[in-house]
Amino acid sequence: MNTRLLPVVLAVLSFSAHADDPPFQRVLVDGSRISQLGEADSAAAGTVTQSQLQARTTYRPGELLEATPGLVVSQHSGEGKANQFYLRGFNLDHGTDLRTTVDGMPVNQRSHAHGQGWTDLNFVIPELAGRLDFKKGPYSATSGDFSSAGATELTYVNRLTSGIANFTAGQNGYGRAMIAGSPEVGNGNLLYGLETMHNDGPFTRGDDYRKVNGVLRYSEGFENNGYSVTAMAYRAKWNATDQIPQRAVDSGTLGRFDAIDPADGGSAHRYSLSGKWQRSDDDTSARISAYVIANRLELFSNFTYFLDDPVNGDQFAQPDRRVTSGFDASYSWHHHRGGMTSTTTVGLTAQNDNIHNGLYHTKARQVIGTTREDHIVETSGALYVENQTRWNPAFRTVAGLRADRYRFDVHGDNAANAGTANDNILSPSAGLIFGPWARTEFYVNAGTGFHSNDARGTVIAVDPKTGEQADRVTPLARTRGLDLGVRTEWVQGLQSSLSLYRLDMDSELLFVGDAGTTEAGRPSRRYGIEFSNYYKPVKWLSLDADIAYARARFRDQDPAGDRIPGAVEGVAQFAATVTPAGPWSGALRLRWFGPRPLIEDNSVRSRATTTLNGRIGYRIGKATQIELEAFNLANRSASAIDYFYESRLSGEAEPAEDIHFHPIESRSFRVSLTHRF
């Protein structure tokens, strides 16, 4: 346990609750899941409440998104790096094809130095998360780029029921302190949150992950009639133990938590200013949001070790700095005629990214060669319309059309790889909803979506590493989806949903190990089934069971094979949350992350990964709670991620193809003390 925070924890234990304090609201709470009957447009959409988010045992902030059934959030490097995501048969790398927004601001970063759609959620403060809305499949005209597999929207609260002070200490150098509150100021509330954290992880060379994170928001009114202005700031530095080859562990050369290049790691910052305004009445509603985000990343990685440069090694740097600005405006008309109700929404969005990034050959974080440097201006705009109509008590429809326009402008150190590109795409979608009958609804959804490709690939002429001719990629790659689903609450206390889906992509994005980036690849098709359940048999007990299976294949003919490397096949999560009337509470969550093909002919596969996390809480008085969190309780030696590619270690005469993996964290415990004021 981190002893540096022990005096702070002991000081907080001396707090006493005042008689006039509000009843203590536990960090570990549970409430009934919001019913989606008559609300959701598909069986694969839903909302997760604040109480359910707070009840989750999360190792890192990005794991809040695992409240989305079938979604796995992992990591293959240092804690400051964007997470790895898996959903619906995809290895989504760092966020491609999973659109993520926080408070209306896009998190996915286009044409990123390390990977298309880079999604860094380390700036999220979990205690401020008010709800998570998710949709899977390209069936919403509001979502757009990166949303083919799904879209998640995390929303912060405007005000807290009471102030929060949290202090956490744990093994592997873990320490965290957080304070948040929302006092009344003028006619509104001033929400503030400040967080600082340190974590080494179980690695031989500790991550030494240090972050400082803050939020300041002023709001007036309510969600449907009000406004807010929010400022956020996040800074972090870390070391990284990247994936290592299995052959080195088998021979005893490396331990599971050892690193090959001790200089891997990085730093990041994110500053944002955003605003939201909403007005509504019985007949109309209007929403406007706007944002400016400044992101910067310094990232040093080495995945192939001494493959390309046996003397200096293969470490490379991928710096990325950008300013992203944009807005989202919509206006809705609500119609009522007899037994029919209808809402028509027209929306307009725009986003501009002013990007400077590069790829450099480095040694111990010192540049010894330049592969490429680029200045990218990527601009997009979209107009969409969506109609939702309830024709009678047992039949609803939703239909939408989205038109996107993109412009890519690339300039850099090589004139041959500079230029501009433009592309347009139309994305229609439709859904039929039948019911409810006996508290059961049936869904048919069809639609098209897309993901944008890296701007550099749209104008490239020569490979910057080899000088050979390179093929350009399609700027906007189309996806086509079909979902059949059912949702039922027929059994008292049980909410279940079942989805069958198919998703076709014109161009799959694949991870390239020696460059640490993604590149456009072959067309693909996925079939899958998802079964999600939430059961509350008694007031003090809730049970979750989510199971998903996917079949992913390339659609073209290639002697290499038709399997998609890294495509997740099976995912399952089972959880029990206990919140009796007394001071004790607890939760257990089992996650199974199934095996995956690592090469096109399926001759090399990863193993399954199973983790068990849990927590026990004890309430002290009305306003204080102490909790013990446990991660990887069974202390399984499994992988967080696996790749198969060629690398060379120091002293090896020839390169070798091998499985390269990043281990899941060993068993660890954290003790936290939360005081409400």
Side-chain angles (χ1 to χ4, degrees), residues 56-387:
R56 302 186 68 84
T57 303
T58 55
Y59 188 88
R60 49 184 66 92
E63 291 180 3
L64 284 177
L65 298 193
E66 287 193 349
T68 301
L71 176 62
V72 169
V73 179
S74 187
Q75 181 57 276
H76 80 106
S77 187
E79 282 302 316
K81 196 173 181 179
N83 295 129
Q84 201 87 11
F85 302 91
Y86 297 84
L87 179 68
R88 286 202 156 188
F90 285 88
N91 175 353
L92 295 162
D93 195 51
H94 294 291
T96 304
D97 293 307
L98 177 66
R99 178 175 175 81
T100 303
T101 60
V102 173
D103 260 9
M105 293 180 286
V107 183
N108 304 78
Q109 295 181 38
R110 313 186 293 196
S111 301
H112 191 269
H114 183 74
Q116 178 71 341
W118 175 269
T119 302
D120 183 358
L121 287 164
N122 287 298
F123 69 93
V124 170
I125 300 178
E127 288 87 348
L128 302 185
R131 61 187 285 166
L132 172 69
D133 297 291
F134 62 86
K135 305 173 185 176
K136 287 180 275 186
Y139 311 123
S140 174
T142 64
S143 297
D145 198 4
F146 300 122
S147 62
S148 295
T152 60
E153 181 178 0
L154 196 64
T155 303
Y156 274 8
V157 298
N158 282 340
R159 50 186 173 269
L160 298 164
T161 56
S162 62
I164 310 171
N166 174 269
F167 300 90
T168 305
Q171 293 175 287
N172 300 323
Y174 184 88
R176 178 179 184 261
M178 190 281 303
I179 187 168
S182 56
E184 292 184 3
V185 175
N187 296 321
N189 292 84
L190 185 66
L191 174 74
Y192 66 87
L194 182 63
E195 172 192 40
T196 181
M197 197 193 84
H198 177 272
N199 190 21
D200 284 328
F203 305 103
T204 305
R205 178 176 183 258
D207 277 352
D208 194 22
Y209 176 49
R210 295 151 285 161
K211 79 172 178 180
V212 178
N213 197 13
V215 175
L216 189 65
R217 163 183 286 175
Y218 180 76
S219 64
E220 289 188 9
F222 302 94
E223 183 178 359
N224 59 345
N225 277 291
Y227 75 91
S228 65
V229 178
T230 307
M232 299 183 183
Y234 161 79
R235 293 185 68 92
K237 292 184 177 181
W238 65 92
N239 301 322
T241 298
D242 286 323
Q243 59 254 28
I244 58 177
Q246 185 65 52
R247 64 183 183 276
V249 177
D250 293 343
S251 68
T253 305
L254 289 176
R256 288 180 52 81
F257 299 108
D258 287 345
I260 293 176
D261 193 330
D264 288 350
S267 63
H269 74 226
R270 180 191 184 277
Y271 306 122
S272 68
L273 181 65
S274 63
K276 294 192 293 185
W277 176 89
Q278 307 91 23
R279 284 290 182 271
S280 63
D281 55 34
D282 290 341
D283 298 317
T284 61
S285 60
R287 295 177 181 267
I288 300 174
S289 64
Y291 53 86
V292 178
I293 311 167
N295 278 292
R296 184 161 191 162
L297 175 73
E298 298 287 339
L299 187 64
F300 300 89
S301 309
N302 189 345
F303 301 139
T304 53
Y305 322 124
F306 294 91
L307 176 68
D308 297 326
D309 189 337
V311 176
N312 297 300
D314 296 349
Q315 188 188 70
F316 55 92
Q318 295 169 303
D320 188 288
R321 57 184 174 90
R322 66 182 61 212
V323 175
T324 301
S325 56
F327 71 86
D328 189 341
S330 65
Y331 194 86
S332 300
W333 293 268
H334 311 298
H335 309 283
H336 309 271
R337 181 179 300 173
M340 184 189 75
T341 61
S342 180
T343 298
T344 301
T345 301
V346 175
L348 178 66
T349 70
Q351 180 178 331
N352 183 78
D353 293 274
N354 193 332
I355 309 163
H356 295 267
N357 59 27
L359 178 61
Y360 304 93
H361 184 197
T362 59
K363 180 179 181 180
R365 301 196 182 189
Q366 299 300 310
V367 175
I368 58 177
T370 299
T371 304
R372 68 180 302 167
E373 295 176 322
D374 295 284
H375 176 211
I376 304 164
V377 178
E378 184 168 342
T379 307
S380 65
L383 178 67
Y384 65 86
V385 59
E386 190 168 78
N387 174 267

